[in-house]
């Protein structure tokens, strides 16, 4: 009977992380939880993926046949011994297959880990595996970087490994060259500076220190060249950086959205670091952020670096970026996404609320961008107001989905469209007639007490809604109007008084909200976003809806009072 000691250790690591036995940041916990949840769904015929223990064991065993290439372990001629976190990384990345094809599931893999945690060894091992043992005839493996020195950080260890393993060279027909490795079937492993040639067809592309790349050109060229491969993979291995406009930061935001619940089935991410509320001056932060703490990265070195950062403010950001994996100047999400997930109730549907009064709020950003509607219901339970957000709606022009200059955003829109969460209007501009028809239809289902709308939005749409007999109110999205409902939404989420239907597009936008405080004050805030790609339109509409409901209650309007005291919501 086959045994899988490496896979068993990998799965144990995931269980221990989720159970809190191994300190880790929220993103790593979510990655482990995703793996365990999907293992539990394997036998479901509607679940498209399966975990192949033999495939996972094979890659872990292969990597551990590689020799160390520098330092004390190389001097002692020791072979690589993967730590539990590394076993989990390899097992999860390579072990998940598509049931229908038995080909590898994950096309994009991101490992974000601080310096000195063994990145180069992992990348070199993946490169040799992809060249020799990944069942790909004529394999092409590239390690990409912005300069030759960086590219050689991955390729040099791989070259040294191959030199030290004559039996492996003989078995796979591996030939050593000054700047590449080749096999007789045409397979090649070599470093790439900038873009690979148009004729390249990567099987494995390794992007090292992606945070140093100013554009997405290399990543996109690797990606578009993989069309003829059965199970290609782009492996990004990086630390955090300082450029929040970089493609690396965009990729991390996409990974975070996936871990928070946005469907991205062929993306795997393991993002080590610390949480926003961790005290970075404590030794515990070092252990949490550095999975190889005390192994490849020495504890006394990290403690000395930490003390230096405490004593020297000039060095603080460097330390946080390189050793705690925090992006310099990155702002924290306003809402607690772990609590938001706890507020999810997939049994909530609009059918449950038919005939119940609501607020419909519209955030009409621009004709060329996303527009959103949030429908909010509420009820007083035990002296506390409970909020319900059900069936939000999002619109975007056709051109923004299929011809977007920002490829990543266009692909994001396409995923939500496929999931049925995004409505597309014809042409390059939003057709407000579609929004008008939707709001009127929703009003017939769930009567709208009022429809708050930003005056910077569509004036004609406001007039058309008024012509339909609807109560339109203008709400300027400033600190005065947005602060109280934003804090109320935060409190409701944290206390469990908020309930939503799990809409993944709304979840993504809630995760993108950053709090912009008024002149340094901590009691007046409005929602903003880190970058244009991080849409928050649905979150803004939700905050506007809650603000309008709060205002009507405070003003004692009869209609609003009847909702609070006599609503039929039974949750």
């Amino acid at each position: 009977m086959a045994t899988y000691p490496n896979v068993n250790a990998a799965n144990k690591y995931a269980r221990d992380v989720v159970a809190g036995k191994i300190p880790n940041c929220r993103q790593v916990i979510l990655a482990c939880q995703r793996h365990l949840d999907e293992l539990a769904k394997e036998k479901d015929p509607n679940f498209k993926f399966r975990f192949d223990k033999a495939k996972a064991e094979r890659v872990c065993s292969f990597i551990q046949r590689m020799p160390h290439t520098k330092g004390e372990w190389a001097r002692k001629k020791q072979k690589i011994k993967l730590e539990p976190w590394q076993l989990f990384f390899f097992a999860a990345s390579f072990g998940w297959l598509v049931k229908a094809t038995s080909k590898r599931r994950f096309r994009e893999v991101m490992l974000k880990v601080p310096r000195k945690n063994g990145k180069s060894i992992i990348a070199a091992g993946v490169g040799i595996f992809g060249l020799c043992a990944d069942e790909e005839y004529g394999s092409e493996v590239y390690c990409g970087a912005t300069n030759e020195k960086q590219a050689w950080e991955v390729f040099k260890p791989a070259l040294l490994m191959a030199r030290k393993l004559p039996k492996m060279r003989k078995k796979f027909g591996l030939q050593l060259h000054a700047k590449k490795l080749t096999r007789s079937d045409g397979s090649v492993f070599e470093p790439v500076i900038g873009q690979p040639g148009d004729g390249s067809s990567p099987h494995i592309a390794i992007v090292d220190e992606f945070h140093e790349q100013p554009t997405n050109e290399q990543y996109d060229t690797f990606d578009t060249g993989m069309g003829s491969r059965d199970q290609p993979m782009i492996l990004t291995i990086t630390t955090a950086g300082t450029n929040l406009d970089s493609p690396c930061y965009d990729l991390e935001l996409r990974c975070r959205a996936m871990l928070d619940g946005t469907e991205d089935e062929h993306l795997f991410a393991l993002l080590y670091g610390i949480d926003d509320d961790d005290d970075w001056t404590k030794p515990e932060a070092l252990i949490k952020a550095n999975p190889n703490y005390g192994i490849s990265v020495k504890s006394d070195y990290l403690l000395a670096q930490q003390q230096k950062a405490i004593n020297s403010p000039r060095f603080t950001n460097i330390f946080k970026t390189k050793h705690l994996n925090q992006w310099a100047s990155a702002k924290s999400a306003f809402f607690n996404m772990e609590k938001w997930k706890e507020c999810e109730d997939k049994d909530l549907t609009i059918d449950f609320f038919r005939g119940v009064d609501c607020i419909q709020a519209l955030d009409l950003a621009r004709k060329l961008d996303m527009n959103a509607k949030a429908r909010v219901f509420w009820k007083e339970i035990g002296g506390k107001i409970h909020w319900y957000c059900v069936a939000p709606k999002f619109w975007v022009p056709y051109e923004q989905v299929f011809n977007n200059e920002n490829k990543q955003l266009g692909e994001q829109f396409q995923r939500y469209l496929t999931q049925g969460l995004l409505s597309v209007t014809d042409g390059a501009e939003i057709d407000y007639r579609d929004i008008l028809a939707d709001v009127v239809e929703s009003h017939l289902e769930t009567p709208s007490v009022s429809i708050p709308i930003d005056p910077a939005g569509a004036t004609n749409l406001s007039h058309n809604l008024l012509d339909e007999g609807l109560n339109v109110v203008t709400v300027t999205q400033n600190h005065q109007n947005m602060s109280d409902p934003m804090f109320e939404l935060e409190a409701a989420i944290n206390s469990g008084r908020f309930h939503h239907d799990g809409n993944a597009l709304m979840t993504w936008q809630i995760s993108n909200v950053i709090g912009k405080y008024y002149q340094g004050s901590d009691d007046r805030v409005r929602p903003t976003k880190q970058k244009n790609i991080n849409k928050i339109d649905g979150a803004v509409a939700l905050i506007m809806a809650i603000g309008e409901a709060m205002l009507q209650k405070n003003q004692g309007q009869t209609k609003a009072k009847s909702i609070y005291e006599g609503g039929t919501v039974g949750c």
Side-chain angles (χ1 to χ4, degrees), residues 79-263:
K79 293 185 177 180
I80 293 170
K81 181 181 184 301
L82 295 177
E83 297 301 315
W85 73 272
Q86 294 168 321
L87 291 172
F88 171 70
F89 171 77
F90 281 111
S93 299
F94 286 83
W96 280 102
L97 308 181
V98 179
K99 285 181 180 177
T101 63
S102 292
K103 299 299 182 181
R104 190 160 50 240
R105 168 188 178 179
F106 293 120
R107 295 175 57 92
E108 295 175 276
V109 174
M110 183 176 191
L111 173 63
K112 180 184 164 214
V113 67
R115 293 190 67 188
K116 306 299 181 182
N117 278 270
K119 290 190 296 87
S120 298
I121 289 293
I122 291 174
V126 168
I128 293 179
F129 181 81
L131 177 70
C132 298
D134 204 21
E135 301 171 344
E136 183 72 18
Y137 186 85
S139 176
E140 295 176 33
V141 179
Y142 301 106
C143 51
T146 56
N147 56 66
E148 187 169 0
K149 180 178 182 297
Q150 188 61 54
W152 274 79
E153 288 294 319
V154 171
F155 184 71
K156 185 178 178 180
L159 188 62
L160 292 174
M161 288 175 183
R163 283 178 179 168
K164 292 184 175 186
L165 295 173
K167 290 183 179 179
M168 183 187 75
R169 296 202 306 270
K170 182 178 180 180
K171 177 178 180 179
F172 294 107
L174 195 60
Q175 298 294 318
L176 306 181
H177 306 270
K179 293 188 176 182
K180 62 182 177 181
L181 297 170
T182 62
R183 295 179 62 200
S184 57
D185 65 356
S187 296
V188 62
F189 178 15
E190 62 183 337
V192 171
I193 313 303
Q195 291 194 45
D198 290 337
S200 63
S201 178
H203 169 58
I204 301 282
I206 303 163
V207 182
D208 189 40
E209 296 298 6
F210 193 26
H211 71 91
E212 294 183 356
Q213 299 202 16
T215 72
N216 231 11
E217 289 182 353
Q218 186 182 81
Y219 192 100
D220 287 346
T221 304
F222 282 145
D223 188 27
T224 55
M226 290 179 162
S228 63
R229 298 294 182 179
D230 286 336
Q231 49 180 18
M233 176 187 288
I234 300 181
L235 170 61
T236 300
I237 304 185
T238 189
T239 58
T242 59
N243 181 8
L244 298 183
D245 288 324
S246 68
C248 183
Y249 188 64
D250 287 344
L251 178 60
E252 177 168 336
L253 291 175
R254 182 179 151 210
C255 290
R256 287 174 175 266
M258 175 272 294
L259 292 170
D260 278 326
T262 298
E263 187 173 340

Side-chain angles (χ1 to χ4, degrees), residues 18 29 38 47 184 192 216 229 231 338 360 373 377 402 429 500 522 536:
V18 170
I29 295 171
E38 292 186 337
F47 187 60
S184 57
V192 171
N216 231 11
R229 298 294 182 179
Q231 49 180 18
E338 195 166 355
Q360 286 195 80
K373 180 191 79 174
F377 308 84
F402 296 103
E429 297 183 356
H500 64 91
D522 61 359
I536 62 171

Side-chain angles (χ1 to χ4, degrees), residues 209-374:
E209 296 298 6
F210 193 26
H211 71 91
E212 294 183 356
Q213 299 202 16
T215 72
N216 231 11
E217 289 182 353
Q218 186 182 81
Y219 192 100
D220 287 346
T221 304
F222 282 145
D223 188 27
T224 55
M226 290 179 162
S228 63
R229 298 294 182 179
D230 286 336
Q231 49 180 18
M233 176 187 288
I234 300 181
L235 170 61
T236 300
I237 304 185
T238 189
T239 58
T242 59
N243 181 8
L244 298 183
D245 288 324
S246 68
C248 183
Y249 188 64
D250 287 344
L251 178 60
E252 177 168 336
L253 291 175
R254 182 179 151 210
C255 290
R256 287 174 175 266
M258 175 272 294
L259 292 170
D260 278 326
T262 298
E263 187 173 340
D264 210 336
E265 295 175 331
H266 300 286
L267 173 67
F268 176 80
L270 197 56
L271 311 176
Y272 284 94
I274 62 173
D275 293 307
D276 294 333
D277 57 354
D278 286 333
D279 185 346
W280 68 270
T281 67
K282 300 296 184 183
E284 291 79 8
L286 298 173
I287 298 171
K288 194 172 188 179
N290 294 270
N292 255 21
Y293 182 86
I295 303 169
S296 64
V297 55
K298 303 304 181 183
S299 58
D300 55 352
Y301 166 79
L302 285 179
L303 289 166
Q305 293 293 98
Q306 185 180 53
Q307 191 59 51
K308 180 180 175 182
I310 294 171
N311 296 336
S312 174
R314 182 189 61 80
F315 184 67
T316 300
N317 270 354
I318 297 174
F319 169 76
K320 288 182 176 180
T321 301
K322 299 303 180 186
H323 298 301
L324 297 182
N325 239 9
Q326 290 186 306
W327 284 85
S329 302
K331 297 180 180 177
S332 302
F334 184 83
F335 297 108
N336 185 324
M337 293 309 297
E338 195 166 355
K339 293 292 186 182
W340 171 269
K341 290 293 288 182
E342 292 175 5
C343 293
E344 180 180 318
D345 184 352
K346 290 190 179 294
D347 290 334
L348 288 178
T349 67
I350 203 62
D351 291 336
F352 188 74
F353 295 86
R354 290 190 186 277
V356 178
D357 292 332
C358 73
I359 300 289
Q360 286 195 80
L362 295 172
D363 180 49
L364 305 174
R366 290 185 300 156
K367 281 191 173 186
L368 303 180
D369 207 345
M370 178 175 284
N371 290 251
K373 180 191 79 174

Side-chain angles (χ1 to χ4, degrees), residues 46 58 78-79 137 157 182 185 361 386 397 443 500 507:
N46 295 319
R58 184 166 181 264
Q78 291 184 358
K79 293 185 177 180
Y137 186 85
T182 62
D185 65 356
H386 282 243
H443 176 68
H500 64 91
T507 295

Side-chain angles (χ1 to χ4, degrees), residues 372-392:
K373 180 191 79 174
R375 202 169 355 173
V376 169
F377 308 84
W378 61 98
K379 185 176 182 180
E380 188 168 322
I381 302 175
K384 299 285 188 179
I385 300 302
H386 282 243
W387 303 95
Y388 303 83
C389 177
V390 185

